[in-house]
């Protein structure tokens, strides 16, 4: 096990009806800006629950934070923060609203040009307005971590920043709020959480038995519960297991003290940027290709994955590994996420351009051993056609 | 899954050499009281590492906190805190030193008679001096939770209190500091962590898949690593896995949203109080007896435990359950912890007195369904002879 530092400081309130607990976690004299996205929280009654819980509070609202939240939109919220002397931000929605809210929190208190928050990867953030989250879409894990991904329309940039100052003070996770999600968002969330787990697991062994088994527990749970959520959207236990898995998948716990490999995310980001595929759709395409390309380097963990996650115990090493990769592909397909570029009418002709973008973004050495070159990435894209 | 609230606010610094990070987590102007136990930290160099890390700090020391820390000893430390205007407590040792330090932290700021902290079960605590922990004995999980068990010599009382105010700000977990532990303490720690996990797992299913699998992951890890730690005390990876398992076993994570059954601890406490057995020794005796006595009520989880933890897949339900209980007993025995009262020359003649003590302490309805009466507890003791 490698050395690590871990600070899971977000308070979690989990379960049906927990939105009513908001007054126990927001100071009663706070001036609160409620941030949200396209307005689904109005249709499904979540915003009403928030207002009912916060009767007597001084509340403001800022809606319209888009998926892949943009600097341009968020800076308007920063203006609202200043105009209304906001001192608490309550994100009500999924990971994009919350990521956007993290930027607002840091930008409102930032003295320079706020885009520096992103270009410095968060290093220049020294304080932020406190944030709380009512999560309605389990996927990104943003509710219990200090990261955010922000886009800038003007330049086409999309970048992550991290700062302990934007870690949410609390996260309210009520599985009932996820009942009304469209099936595509449910599927995307499950695939996203699955691959977050894989990126912290499928590397090389460092004898970190707790982390390995926690990761395997999340994978098994997502495999079992994902298809059920699509079939019966109002099964509370299923939604609860998915929601808790997604939070645990990226709060730092399973990644503490182990190597990580975020290749699939990096290669996927370029596909989203160039072709507009959903984040999770890109991951479902890239991961199997990465698994096959790095079969030798990830051999021991792939065999462990085959046995413990897919119960594959027969055949040669190579056969068991291939069977596990096929099982992974079938799981994504079952969730409605195709696993080939050609499923999206992409014939591979943009691969040179995708690789060029990777180079521009400094992604020239990827993987847990930093041995995935641009040439390797090109091969991975090609094998995913 | 049941609703839950979870706040894992302790920052963890894990790994060899992490004691050197102390200046990053204690304010440089703090007046620090280092608390410790019998002095093993002087012999194994841990205290020296702490002093090296904290050069330039204003440091005081208070040693001699005993296993099962007593009010009488701890009140002397409270006097030191007042005399020296201490504003940070650094516990260097195992769970007893840390539990004692939690009491000191609350008592030093308490306006009434400090024993009320314990009798109110922590409810009367409104503030406390901040605490940090350098842990040298993985077992109790106290380093990442808000509980403490305190004894009072004068009255023979031993009681737990809990307060968010005494949750350690940080925990430094360096597996190397555990190399010099006597085998009996290593074994006790592994058994203690194992049974903490069981008490939050072996109840009835509530479809909490993440919690179940995390618990099973800890049990499997302790079963694999425990005997290795006895055989090769300086195997870093083994010590690291045990240390991380013990912390995870009782920080609230695996117990969030699931029923719990602390019967084994309650019945064990009386054995320690009356006969002086080590805490973990009592647990190894009582748990198998509880498993057999509550076989019907815990049926589904016992079958899951048999399959997932012990890989027992053949035989009738009853045979698989019995095989899992026998495997549990053999594991404790392998760790050097006998599983019968008679192994300690106890013939059962004190059982009526033990049950009377349980009654005095209000333990008349135990178990996840509150259906274990005093008569049931008596039978459990008897079946453990």
């Amino acid at each position: 096990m490698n050395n690590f530092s871990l600070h899971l400081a977000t308070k979690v309130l989990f379960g049906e009806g927990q939105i009513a607990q908001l007054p126990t976690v927001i100071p009663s004299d706070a001036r609160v800006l409620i941030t949200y996205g396209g307005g689904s929280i109005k249709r499904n009654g979540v915003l009403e629950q928030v207002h009912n819980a916060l009767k007597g509070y001084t509340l403001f609202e800022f809606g319209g934070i888009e998926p892949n939240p943009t600097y341009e939109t968020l800076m308007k919220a920063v203006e609202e923060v200043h105009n209304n002397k906001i001192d608490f931000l309550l994100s009500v929605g999924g990971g994009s609203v919350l990521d956007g809210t993290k930027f607002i929190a840091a930008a409102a208190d930032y003295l320079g040009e706020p885009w520096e928050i992103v270009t410095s990867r968060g290093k220049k953030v020294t304080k932020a307005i406190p944030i709380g989250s009512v999560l309605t879409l389990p996927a990104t894990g943003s509710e219990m971590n200090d990261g955010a991904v922000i886009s800038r329309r003007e330049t086409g940039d999309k970048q992550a920043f991290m700062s302990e100052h934007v870690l949410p003070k609390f996260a309210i996770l009520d599985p009932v709020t996820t009942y009304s999600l469209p099936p595509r968002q449910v599927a995307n969330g499950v695939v996203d959480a699955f691959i977050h787990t894989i990126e912290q697991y499928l590397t090389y062994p460092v004898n970190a038995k707790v982390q390995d088994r926690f990761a395997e527990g999340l994978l098994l749970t997502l495999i079992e519960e994902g298809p059920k959520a699509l079939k019966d959207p109002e099964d509370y236990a299923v939604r609860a297991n998915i929601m808790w898995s997604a939070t645990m998948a990226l709060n730092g716990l399973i990644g503490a003290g182990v190597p990580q490999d975020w290749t699939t995310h990096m290669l996927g980001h370029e596909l989203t940027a160039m072709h507009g595929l959903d984040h999770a759709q890109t991951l479902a395409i890239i991961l199997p290709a990465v698994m096959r390309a790095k079969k030798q380097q990830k051999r021991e963990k792939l065999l462990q994955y085959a046995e413990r996650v897919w119960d594959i115990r027969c055949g040669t090493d190579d056969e068991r590994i291939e069977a596990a990769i096929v099982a992974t592909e079938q799981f994504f397909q079952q969730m409605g996420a195709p696993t080939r570029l050609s499923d999206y009418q992409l014939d591979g002709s943009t691969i040179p351009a995708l690789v060029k973008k990777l180079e521009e973004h400094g992604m020239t050495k990827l993987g847990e051993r930093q041995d995935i070159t641009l040439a390797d990435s090109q091969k991975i894209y090609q094998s995913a056609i």
Side-chain angles (χ1 to χ4, degrees), chain A residues 70-384:
Chain A
T70 66
Y71 171 80
E72 288 82 359
T73 300
L74 302 172
M75 287 308 292
K76 289 181 200 154
V78 170
E79 216 178 303
E80 291 295 306
V81 167
H82 291 154
N83 291 344
N84 298 305
K85 301 192 185 350
I86 299 298
D87 54 17
F88 203 99
L89 294 170
L90 180 63
S91 164
V92 183
S96 288
V97 173
L98 183 48
D99 280 10
T101 305
K102 288 177 177 178
F103 179 81
I104 299 166
D109 267 357
Y110 193 75
L111 293 177
E113 155 56 45
W115 186 245
E116 292 173 7
I117 292 167
V118 177
T119 53
S120 74
R121 305 268 161 158
K123 288 197 186 72
K124 291 199 172 179
V125 179
T126 56
K127 56 182 177 168
I129 298 175
I131 299 170
S133 161
V134 174
L135 192 76
T136 60
L137 171 54
T140 70
S142 187
E143 64 276 11
M144 207 174 170
N145 71 39
D146 65 1
V149 181
I150 307 297
S151 299
R152 189 164 186 173
R153 227 176 285 141
E154 188 194 337
T155 56
D157 284 327
K158 179 175 175 177
Q159 259 182 282
F161 80 92
M162 268 157 277
S163 166
E164 59 176 332
H165 301 287
V166 301
L167 183 75
K169 302 295 173 200
F170 63 83
I172 293 186
L173 308 179
D174 178 347
V176 176
T177 66
T178 71
Y179 287 179
S180 56
L181 287 170
R184 179 162 146 186
Q185 287 196 22
V186 175
N188 281 346
V190 169
V191 171
D192 198 21
F194 187 92
I195 294 178
H196 288 159
T197 309
I198 287 280
E199 305 257 48
Q200 299 164 84
Y201 168 77
L202 204 63
T203 58
Y204 53 85
V206 293
N207 203 349
K209 296 193 169 191
V210 174
Q211 293 90 324
D212 275 6
R213 289 202 166 101
F214 281 13
E216 290 152 2
L218 297 178
L219 297 173
L220 284 162
T221 303
L222 291 165
I223 290 165
E224 286 170 7
E225 305 294 75
K228 289 189 208 161
L230 292 179
K231 209 174 151 200
D232 181 2
E234 305 206 355
D235 184 322
Y236 180 83
V238 165
R239 295 294 196 158
N241 284 327
I242 290 175
M243 201 164 204
W244 195 221
S245 295
T247 299
M248 284 291 132
L250 201 54
N251 65 1
L253 183 65
I254 61 167
V258 298
Q260 305 192 10
D261 170 16
W262 290 88
T263 302
T264 299
H265 270 73
M266 297 307 125
L267 269 63
H269 281 168
E270 303 304 345
L271 279 174
T272 297
M274 194 170 295
H275 297 293
L277 271 64
D278 292 352
H279 174 58
Q281 291 173 335
T282 71
L283 304 178
I285 294 166
I286 301 294
L287 177 66
V290 172
M291 284 172 156
R292 288 201 177 91
K294 305 306 287 181
K295 202 166 72 173
Q296 289 316 317
Q297 292 83 348
K298 295 179 186 292
R299 196 164 193 81
E300 288 177 75
K301 287 306 271 292
L302 275 166
L303 288 166
Q304 183 177 320
Y305 171 68
E307 180 180 332
R308 293 194 190 171
V309 176
W310 294 106
D311 202 21
I312 295 167
R313 292 160 193 267
C314 298
T316 64
D317 285 5
D318 279 331
E319 284 165 358
R320 296 204 307 284
I321 288 172
E322 181 57 26
I325 298 172
V326 170
T328 308
E329 290 173 320
Q330 286 170 345
F331 168 59
F332 294 154
Q333 289 157 8
Q334 194 187 1
M335 292 306 296
T339 52
R340 314 296 294 185
L341 286 169
S342 52
D343 293 317
Y344 295 92
Q345 286 72 54
L346 296 172
D347 61 3
S349 56
T350 61
I351 289 174
L354 289 164
V355 173
K356 197 149 183 285
K357 279 287 172 190
L358 276 178
E359 187 175 13
E360 273 175 44
H361 295 149
M363 303 298 165
T364 53
K365 284 181 183 177
L366 295 170
E368 66 271 20
R369 290 191 179 88
Q370 300 281 287
D371 63 353
I372 300 183
T373 63
L374 289 174
D376 296 322
S377 293
Q378 174 136 11
K379 280 184 208 154
I380 290 168
Y381 279 129
Q382 265 155 354
S383 70

